[in-house]
Amino acid sequence: MKCGGPERHVVLAREITKTWESIEGRPVGELLAWVKEDENRHRGEMVLVVEGYKANLDEDDISPEVIRTLNLLQQELPPKKAAAITAEIYGLKKNRLYKLMLEQSSDEE
C-alpha cells in the first residue's frame, strides 16, 4: 500500500485550545520546511492529521487480479457479498465492483 509522498496533505495542530494555538496545513514536504523555519514551532503538544489514501484508479483501471478475485467469489456468493469482500481485500469501492459485475453479466447476455 502506498503511504503517499511529499505532496500528501498534512495538518499540524499545535497547543490546541491555548492562547498560542497554531494550526497549519500544507503538503508534508512543505510543512516540514515550515516547522524548521521557527524554533517555536518545535515546542508544545502537537497533533498531526494526515490526508487519507486516495486510490488513483480510473473507472476502467481495475486490475485483472481484482476481476479474477471478484469472479471467483461471485461463483460462491451473492453478487453484493462478492463485491464487498473483493473491495475489502483490494481497498476499492464496493459499488464500483458491483457495477462492474452487472456490466459483465449484461455483456454475456
Side-chain angles (χ1 to χ4, degrees), residues 6-101:
E7 70 284 345
R8 192 170 210 170
H9 197 78
V10 178
V11 174
L12 173 67
R14 199 176 67 78
E15 299 293 350
I16 299 174
T17 73
K18 296 182 181 163
T19 307
W20 46 88
E21 162 184 308
S22 66
I23 299 174
E24 185 69 24
R26 297 173 182 222
V28 72
E30 293 177 24
L31 187 66
L32 182 58
W34 179 83
V35 169
K36 289 179 178 180
E37 287 173 1
D38 184 348
E39 229 177 90
N40 287 322
R41 294 176 184 159
H42 302 201
R43 300 177 185 192
E45 297 170 356
M46 299 179 203
V47 175
L48 279 178
V49 180
V50 181
E51 177 183 37
Y53 173 73
K54 293 180 185 175
N56 292 324
L57 292 177
D58 293 334
E59 289 291 307
D60 299 323
D61 191 19
I62 296 179
S63 76
E65 184 180 355
V66 171
I67 294 170
R68 182 174 182 276
T69 301
L70 187 61
N71 290 337
L72 287 171
L73 290 173
Q74 188 179 2
Q75 292 174 14
E76 302 295 328
L77 299 168
K80 283 187 180 182
K81 189 69 173 173
I85 292 171
T86 304
E88 182 70 25
I89 291 169
Y90 294 100
L92 300 171
K93 296 199 179 278
K94 65 181 176 184
N95 291 342
R96 173 61 188 123
L97 296 175
Y98 185 72
K99 182 179 171 186
L100 177 66
M101 285 193 312

